């Protein structure tokens, strides 16, 4: 009697699919100059704010925008209404430039034909959304770290004060880094919507990154804590008066919005032409 051997092919698990896609995305991220260019931009921003930016007071006296190094990391307290534009010149700026980086990174997927090849062999759209959100969150978290390094070096160079409540500072930094996931998911979602219009995807990322919509609402309703449900609100909630609850707030908001953007983005990809 002849024995026949049946070959059984099992589809890869979600973990294996995501692991494989993350491996490719990490390789592409680390081998593109774009990533390192934006890391440098993030480090230069605080140096420009501390060393080159001055404001004039009511008496006509010109003085530095900030006299404390950590003010370029976060505002003194949580705020939503624009009282002084200087209050927004901190690590939140990473999320603006990070959005532009995400647009370029994902835009290259479509211009190079990578997406067409990917979805031919890897049809799970949710894996694409999750992988891109994680990769871009990692990239933006790295930008936050280089921004922090640039802030310290700039503070030492200009002789700015380093006095701060260390615990609150650490909570603020961790909270802002955590927000990278929510911001990255938003930008990936926007680029899925405007995937055929590269210029619009960059403009939309910049527009939402500045938080103009939330600032506009805050100007009407005031400093309401309800605005913390929005990404920008949670980002400014992370201030130099932060505590563990701030970290928890930013973590919950970031995870919730990442989930929402990934679910809706996956639905859009499944229902439309991805090319």
């Amino acid at each position: 009697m002849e024995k026949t051997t049946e070959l059984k092919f099992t589809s890869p698990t979600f973990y294996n699919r995501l692991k494989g896609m993350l491996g490719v995305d990490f390789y592409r991220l680390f081998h593109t100059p774009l990533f390192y260019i934006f890391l440098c931009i993030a480090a230069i921003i605080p140096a420009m704010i501390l060393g080159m930016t001055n404001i004039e007071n009511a008496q006509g006296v010109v003085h530095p925008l900030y006299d404390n190094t950590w003010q370029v990391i976060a505002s003194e307290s949580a705020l939503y209404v624009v009282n002084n534009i200087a209050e927004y010149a901190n690590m939140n700026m990473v999320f603006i430039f990070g959005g532009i980086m995400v647009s370029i990174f994902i835009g290259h997927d479509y211009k190079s034909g990578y997406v067409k090849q990917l979805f031919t062999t890897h049809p799970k759209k949710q894996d694409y959304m999750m992988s891109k959100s994680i990769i871009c969150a990692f990239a933006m978290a790295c930008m936050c770290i280089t921004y922090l390094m640039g802030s310290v070096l700039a503070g030492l160079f200009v002789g700015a004060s380093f006095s701060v409540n260390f615990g609150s500072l650490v909570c603020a930094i961790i909270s802002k880094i955590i927000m990278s996931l929510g911001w990255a998911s938003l930008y990936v979602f926007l680029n899925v919507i405007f995937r055929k219009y590269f210029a619009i995807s960059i403009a939309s990322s910049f527009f939402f990154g500045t938080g103009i919509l939330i600032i506009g609402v805050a100007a009407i309703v005031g400093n309401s804590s309800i605005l913390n449900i929005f990404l920008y609100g949670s980002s400014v909630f992370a201030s130099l008066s932060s505590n563990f609850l701030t970290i928890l707030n930013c973590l919950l908001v970031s995870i919730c919005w990442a989930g929402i953007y990934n679910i809706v983005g996956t639905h859009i990809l499944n229902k439309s032409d991805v090319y």
Side-chain angles (χ1 to χ4, degrees), residues 23-240:
V24 173
D25 279 337
F26 269 117
Y27 179 86
R28 294 178 65 235
L29 179 68
F30 290 137
H31 286 79
T32 176
L34 174 71
F35 175 55
Y36 303 100
I37 290 172
F38 274 89
L39 288 182
C40 292
I41 291 174
I44 293 172
I45 292 173
M48 295 179 63
I49 296 174
L50 276 177
M52 302 175 60
T53 309
N54 298 308
I55 58 175
E56 184 177 337
N57 60 22
Q59 290 72 38
V61 179
V62 177
H63 59 88
L65 182 65
Y66 291 136
D67 57 7
N68 188 295
T69 300
W70 307 119
Q71 290 175 308
V72 298
I73 299 295
S75 59
E76 294 288 348
S77 59
L79 58 118
Y80 305 96
V81 180
V82 178
N83 298 314
N84 186 334
I85 193 61
E87 295 173 330
Y88 288 87
N90 54 47
M91 193 179 282
N92 289 336
M93 297 179 69
V94 166
F95 303 129
I96 300 175
F97 288 95
I100 298 174
M101 181 197 68
V102 173
S103 295
I104 298 174
F105 187 64
I106 295 182
H108 183 263
D109 285 355
Y110 289 90
K111 292 181 66 177
S112 65
Y114 169 74
V115 166
K116 185 175 182 179
Q117 178 184 2
L118 175 67
F119 288 136
T120 300
T121 59
H122 196 113
K124 298 291 186 179
K125 308 301 189 301
Q126 65 176 6
D127 299 347
Y128 178 83
M129 288 293 300
M130 293 187 66
S131 179
K132 282 296 182 288
S133 296
I134 293 172
I135 289 296
C136 293
F138 171 81
M140 293 172 68
C142 290
M143 288 177 66
C144 288
I145 293 173
T146 57
Y147 183 99
L148 175 62
M149 295 169 60
S151 300
V152 173
L153 292 176
L156 291 172
F157 182 78
V158 302
S161 171
F162 281 86
S163 61
V164 72
N165 182 314
F166 184 74
S168 294
L169 173 65
V170 171
C171 288
I173 294 173
I174 293 176
S175 297
K176 289 183 181 294
I177 291 177
I178 286 174
M179 291 307 304
S180 295
L181 176 61
W183 280 107
S185 300
L186 167 63
Y187 293 136
V188 171
F189 171 72
L190 290 174
N191 280 274
V192 164
I193 295 177
F194 301 114
R195 58 191 177 278
K196 296 181 180 179
Y197 309 98
F198 182 63
I200 296 178
S201 68
I202 291 182
S204 65
S205 295
F206 181 82
F207 177 79
F208 283 96
T210 58
I212 293 176
L213 291 178
I214 304 304
I215 293 174
V217 173
I220 298 173
V221 304
N223 255 7
S224 172
S225 59
I226 193 65
L227 293 177
N228 283 329
I229 65 173
F230 295 97
L231 283 172
Y232 194 84
S234 295
S235 298
V236 297
F237 189 58
S239 65
L240 295 180

